[in-house]
Structure formats: structure tokens, C-alpha cells
Amino acid sequence: MPQLRLALNQIDSQVGNIAANADSVVHWTRHSAEQGAHLVAFPEMVLTGYPVEDLALRGSFVEASRQALLDLAQRLAAEGFGDLPVVVGYLDRTEKAAPRLGRPAGSPENAAAVLYGGQVVLRFAKHHLPNYGVFDEFRYFVPGDTQPVIRVRGVDVALAICEDLWQEGGRVPATRSAGAGLLISVNASPYERNKDDLRLELVRKRAQEAGCTLAYLAMIGGQDELVFDGDSIVVDSGGEVIARAPQFSEGCVLVDLDLPAASPTPVEGIVDDGLRIDRVILTEEPVEPYEPVVTGGYADRLDDDEEIYDALVVGLRAYVRKNGFRSVLIGLSGGIDSALVAAVACDAIGAQNVYGVSMPSKYSSEHSRGDAADLAERTGLNFRTVSIEPMFDAYMGALGLTGLAEENLQSRLRGTLLMALSNQEGHIVLAPGNKSELAVGYSTLYGDSVGAYGPIKDVYKTDVFRLAEYRNRAAAERGETPPIPENSIVKPPSAELRPGQVDTDSLPDYPVLDGILSLYVDRDQGLEAIVAAGYDPELVAKTLRMVDTAEYKRRQYPPGTKISAKGFGKDRRLPITNGWRERA
């Protein structure tokens, strides 16, 4: 059987930074060539970054992507890689589709190309376009109608893009019909918890359906609220894993494969789902037999808590660095939320770039003030204390506020103070709200909701505690100082806006609340179904009412890392003005 050394480059890219992305492709192609690769692949839309959203509808951006692809092909050849086939994802447009109502302006395509000999020898567009969750690809792209196949060193290699694997039909059965010995799918599949198990089973199933070895190449990094965790996978035709890359780690997955020789009478024409085989022969002669040096490997899997924590770190780091920021500012209350956010920030960009400020009022307990200072000492972040009491007294003297207005004033004074320091010193503010609080509106607009990014906005409160315990445990195992004070973990959560206040004054116990929210928010279950799951009817009705009436607050909350199947933002889109209420 012919041999083929495949290089899957699991790398990051930045939306819109086409020049830097092209440089990265050249760098990793050079690395792949030095490792003796015969075929090199890069992720979905690596040249433009992903997702490009409405940039896809801007003709100048599409043309910049198309021109960059041509330039990249010539550059690779000029640097001595002209005889090495390279698969690159980019943004294209179809020349065939006429403008019409309901079709994206300019008929853009989520495309990939094969670069060889200084030329673009093959172009193809994603066939299945996802239109669920965070995906709006019917809004942005027109589908491809070919089944691309390239012959490399005597092996027929079929190509696909992301959703082409996730949906039934299309390019997977077309690969079998075309008689390909290898199917490469290039992907930019966003992370969500437990998706790695689903992904592996999908790849195994599709390899068996395609009847050939399947290489699933994934992107890593972060873009706004999305995180990409890598986890590239290669399986044989029976679904057995040959290689699996680490999560949240950039690098080249190199694997030596024994593959069936291309048929001397290849299938041509129209095959499954009306796809037309687009076949390009690059090299007919197999490589001289060699001793495989890379037979794959199975990177250790992260446990659930480590996986989520790493996703939060990667998401925040990408947001800070890709937007040109250098430092972050966090209001440290001594509570668990701000403590976890601070730990994530220190791991993401270094403690020297993290600034914490304690802003006590007359209701702040001594242990909360002490816990904030203890966190700063444990992590090494920059720390100061600025009391809000003089500002609070001035407002109260002028307005005489009481009750909730008095409580929220404290939060808004802290928000104003943070934003003032942000303007003065150039830090971006991190909002510490968690998913439980955002769901039920347990936050103050223009107070604890201020900031440029919310690292834990998609993390339920019960998970916040678990992640804090994980981070401390991981530090202890490495012989390091646990970053989060134990008192921040064990004390009852409180906003400390009035004497003796605790969260359970207004909310159910968090395990109960999060159980209800996971059914209502994440799984779209109604009141009757949630009550049938064992929850108190009155408590369910109250909780759902709080969720429904807090939509206006969530719309004004900053973006934050998505780690669940349905986060607040692009995933869950409900009207603010909404007369519908769940009733038994």
C-alpha cells in the first residue's frame, strides 16, 4: 500500500488579520516540510479567521481573501514548498450564482483550496451550511456542489469542511463513491463541554461510512465569545483511533499512513447529493517505501474541570491579546466569583498584568476585605484598596436613597470607579458575573455588570465553586500556592450590600437553582417539564419569571467565553419585550 506522511496543523488565527494568518501558514508549512510531510492541511477559514460574520458580505474583504490566497500560493513556491500540496481554508465567492432575494450579497463561500506548484489547483466550498446555535451560515454563504478529490503520491484524497461531517449525506458518502483512500475534513468547531466525546464518535462513524481513513483537523484559540479546543483526530476505516491531538495546544499533528492505491479507473461525474466529483491529479507515483517514524499517538484527555478551566483561560487570553490590550482590572470583593476570575486572568496573561482593587463600603465584612488581600498575595497580582464610603455618603446626603436603590448605588459606585481607573490607566475591566446570576437578573446594571469581558458569564455558580476547588487542587499537586483563599470557597455567597445579606435571601440554594436553569435555559424545557423533573412548582414558576424579566439586563452584559451548549448571546436569542410566560 502507498505511504503518506500527513501534517495536520492545529493552529490559531485572527479574524481579519489576513497578513498575519498567511505568515502563520508559511511558518507551519515550513515546519511540516522539515518533518518530511507529503501533504499539509490547515483549519477552516484559517486565512481570514473564523467566524467572519458580516465581513463575509463585504466585497472588499472577500477580494482581499481571494488575492491573499493567490499570493500565498506563489510565496510557498518561492520559499521552496512548491512540490508540497497545502490545503488552506479561506473566504471565497462563487462565480456562478446570480444575485437574488434571499441569497447572501456577493454569494460568498466558506471555502478551502489546494495550493501546489505556486498555483491554486483546486477550490471548493462547504456543502452543508450550519444554521443553529452560534452558526448563521445560511446568512453568509452559498453551498458548494462538488466533491473535491486530489491524487497525492498515488493516493486519492477527498476533502470536506466541518459541517460536511456533522450532517448526514453529502461528502461522506460521496467520498466512498469516489473511491478515496483518505478523507480530510478541515474544521473550526467551537468548544463546548463534553463535545470531545461527541466529536470522537462522529469521526469514527463517518470514517466507517466513507470506507476510508479520516483525518479531522480542528482549530485552536479564541474569537470573541467562542473558544476552539483543537482535539484533531485521525481514525482508520474501521473507526480505530490512529492519532489524537491535545486540547488547547497549538502544533502540528504528524502521522504516517498506509493507504490504498488510487484506482486506475476513477469514478467521475455526479455522485451522492448531486455532488460533482472535481478531481485533480498532482502526483501519481507513490513515495519510495520508508520506515514510518510517526505512527500516531493519543494525547491524554483533560478531565471535565480542567477542560472547562483551560477554555476560560484560552478565551480570555485570546480576547485580550487579539484586541491589543495589555492588562485587566478586576473589582475584588473577597467572594468566589471575582476570585475565580482573577485566577483565570493570572493564568491567561500573567499576574503582573492583572490589577485588582478592593472597594469596601460600610457593609463590607472584615473577612471579605481580608480575603481580597489574601487572593492578591497568593497570586501576585497588583492590588490596592479604595473605599467607596465617602462617595456613598455624598450620594446619600444628596438623595436620601433607601432599600434596593441604596444597595444598587454601592454597586454602581464601584462600577464607576472601575471604569475611571480603566480610562486613566488603560486596563480593560473584567465583569465577574456568573450564569446563574445573569439568568435571574441578580446583578446591577452599570454596576457589577460593567466591563469589556465576562470570563465566567457562561459558568453556573455550582460550577464556579467546583472550578475554584479544581484550580487550588491543581496548584497543590504542582507544589504551588493555591490561588483562591479557602474562605472565599466555604463562606456563604453574599453581595454585602446590606447588613447580614446572603444570596439565599433572594435566591434558592444554588444547586437547586442551577438544576432548574439548566433545564429552562440550556434545554428549553417548559414549566410543566421542569416540575415533572422533581422541582417545586411555586419555586419553578418564580425562577422562570425572574429569567424572563431579566432579558434586558443580559443584552447589556459584556461578551464572555462560551463553554456550554447554549450560552447567553448568539446561542439564546429571545425578545426583550415579551408577553409570553410559562404556566402550568
Side-chain angles (χ1 to χ4, degrees):
M1 298 177 76
Q3 294 173 283
L4 200 66
R5 182 168 294 170
L6 176 64
L8 302 173
N9 289 287
Q10 178 175 288
I11 67 170
D12 190 8
S13 62
Q14 181 178 356
V15 166
N17 197 345
I18 296 176
N21 296 337
D23 288 344
S24 186
V25 170
V26 173
H27 168 81
W28 286 102
T29 299
R30 182 182 300 110
H31 173 82
S32 301
E34 291 169 350
Q35 303 301 311
H38 305 125
L39 177 60
V40 180
F42 290 90
E44 177 180 7
M45 295 190 79
V46 69
L47 197 55
T48 56
Y50 182 90
V52 296
E53 299 185 323
D54 276 17
L55 284 173
L57 307 178
R58 192 176 300 174
S60 57
F61 186 68
V62 178
E63 290 309 311
S65 170
R66 286 161 58 89
Q67 184 60 50
L69 184 75
L70 298 175
D71 295 342
L72 179 61
Q74 295 174 5
R75 181 177 171 187
L76 289 173
E79 297 212 13
F81 311 126
D83 60 351
L84 183 58
V86 179
V87 182
V88 177
Y90 73 110
L91 175 64
D92 202 352
R93 60 175 170 80
T94 180
E95 307 287 356
K96 297 181 294 183
R100 66 170 172 80
L101 188 65
R103 177 174 290 152
S107 298
E109 295 176 314
N110 178 338
V114 179
L115 311 182
Y116 183 74
Q119 297 182 321
V120 179
V121 296
L122 179 68
R123 302 172 188 249
F124 64 99
K126 183 188 286 190
H127 176 59
H128 287 303
L129 299 177
N131 205 50
Y132 54 86
V134 299
F135 305 107
D136 287 309
E137 297 210 1
F138 280 128
R139 171 184 173 90
Y140 299 123
F141 305 119
V142 295
D145 59 2
T146 65
Q147 175 54 64
V149 180
I150 55 173
R151 185 163 298 177
V152 180
R153 305 297 184 123
V155 176
D156 277 350
V157 180
L159 301 169
I161 302 175
C162 202
E163 193 71 10
D164 294 338
L165 251 61
W166 290 88
Q167 298 296 327
E168 299 288 340
R171 284 189 169 136
V172 172
T175 294
R176 178 183 284 273
S177 298
L182 172 66
L183 171 59
I184 298 176
S185 177
V186 297
N187 308 272
S189 179
Y191 166 81
E192 58 190 53
R193 61 196 307 176
N194 302 320
K195 193 174 185 179
D196 56 333
D197 296 330
L198 179 64
R199 185 183 289 144
L200 177 59
E201 290 310 307
L202 172 78
V203 172
R204 283 174 163 162
K205 179 182 178 183
R206 296 301 188 230
Q208 293 168 341
E209 293 172 351
C212 67
T213 298
L214 194 159
Y216 177 99
L217 167 60
M219 182 182 288
I220 69 107
Q223 169 62 29
D224 293 344
E225 296 192 301
L226 301 183
V227 174
F228 305 95
D229 64 323
D231 191 28
S232 298
I233 305 169
V234 182
V235 303
D236 64 21
S237 59
E240 292 299 313
V241 177
I242 299 172
R244 192 167 189 184
Q247 292 171 279
F248 306 108
S249 178
E250 188 170 55
C252 176
V253 179
L254 204 69
V255 59
D256 283 316
L257 300 171
D258 292 319
L259 299 168
S263 170
T265 56
V267 174
E268 303 291 352
I270 304 296
V271 288
D272 305 80
D273 266 16
L275 295 173
R276 173 181 55 82
I277 294 179
D278 190 1
R279 191 185 300 273
V280 175
I281 296 175
L282 302 181
T283 48
E284 287 274 20
E285 288 299 315
V287 298
E288 290 293 324
Y290 64 91
E291 189 66 29
V293 296
V294 187
T295 55
Y298 198 97
D300 291 338
R301 298 292 90 195
L302 305 178
D303 67 32
D304 290 347
D305 293 338
E306 183 178 11
E307 178 185 283
I308 294 171
Y309 189 87
D310 284 2
L312 299 178
V313 169
V314 170
L316 177 57
R317 179 187 297 136
Y319 190 85
V320 171
R321 290 181 177 174
K322 290 182 178 181
N323 285 291
F325 301 117
R326 297 184 304 275
S327 55
V328 300
L329 178 65
I330 308 168
L332 298 179
S333 67
I336 188 66
D337 294 324
S338 62
L340 179 61
V341 168
V344 169
C346 289
D347 290 336
I349 62 172
Q352 71 278 12
N353 299 311
V354 179
Y355 292 76
V357 54
S358 172
M359 298 169 286
S361 73
K362 63 181 181 181
Y363 299 125
S364 299
S365 62
E366 286 301 321
H367 63 75
S368 291
R369 301 179 195 214
D371 293 340
D374 187 16
L375 170 75
E377 184 175 349
R378 287 167 174 270
T379 59
L381 61 78
N382 304 280
F383 181 68
R384 78 189 93 173
T385 298
V386 181
S387 173
I388 65 167
E389 285 194 56
M391 294 174 270
F392 179 74
D393 291 342
Y395 268 88
M396 291 299 292
L399 298 175
L401 303 176
T402 60
L404 187 61
E406 179 185 2
E407 293 180 24
N408 286 344
L409 173 62
Q410 297 166 70
S411 181
R412 291 193 175 109
L413 287 171
R414 291 181 174 120
T416 299
L417 196 156
L418 288 171
M419 294 310 300
L421 290 174
S422 172
N423 289 158
Q424 181 69 25
E425 300 176 1
H427 320 299
I428 63 166
V429 177
L430 301 184
N434 61 66
K435 191 172 186 177
S436 305
E437 295 171 350
L438 297 182
V440 296
Y442 195 64
S443 63
T444 304
L445 274 181
Y446 325 120
D448 53 346
S449 65
V450 304
Y453 201 73
I456 61 171
K457 72 173 288 188
D458 198 28
V459 182
Y460 284 120
K461 187 77 168 191
T462 47
D463 291 330
V464 169
F465 283 106
R466 208 178 66 246
L467 291 174
E469 291 169 349
Y470 154 75
R471 183 61 183 87
N472 279 1
R473 186 170 64 251
E477 290 171 354
R478 294 194 293 262
E480 301 168 356
T481 301
I484 299 174
E486 184 65 19
N487 196 45
S488 294
I489 297 176
V490 300
K491 67 186 178 185
S494 170
E496 293 194 333
L497 300 177
R498 64 175 183 266
Q501 182 184 28
V502 292
D503 289 3
T504 50
D505 294 341
S506 305
L507 303 175
D509 288 337
Y510 279 112
V512 175
L513 176 64
D514 290 351
I516 295 172
L517 294 176
S518 66
L519 293 173
Y520 189 53
V521 173
D522 298 348
R523 296 172 57 184
D524 287 314
Q525 298 291 306
L527 187 146
E528 289 186 2
I530 298 172
V531 170
Y535 293 98
D536 176 73
E538 186 176 341
L539 178 59
V540 172
K542 177 184 176 183
T543 301
L544 270 51
R545 189 163 54 251
M546 287 191 291
V547 174
D548 291 344
T549 56
E551 185 63 33
Y552 76 102
K553 286 188 177 183
R554 290 188 291 271
R555 290 287 187 94
Q556 299 179 70
Y557 202 81
T561 306
K562 167 182 153 61
I563 57 100
S564 73
K566 181 168 284 192
F568 293 125
K570 292 182 182 178
D571 270 343
R572 188 177 187 270
R573 311 177 196 183
L574 290 172
I576 295 174
T577 306
N578 176 14
W580 169 257
R581 294 290 180 265
E582 289 287 335
R583 297 175 178 86

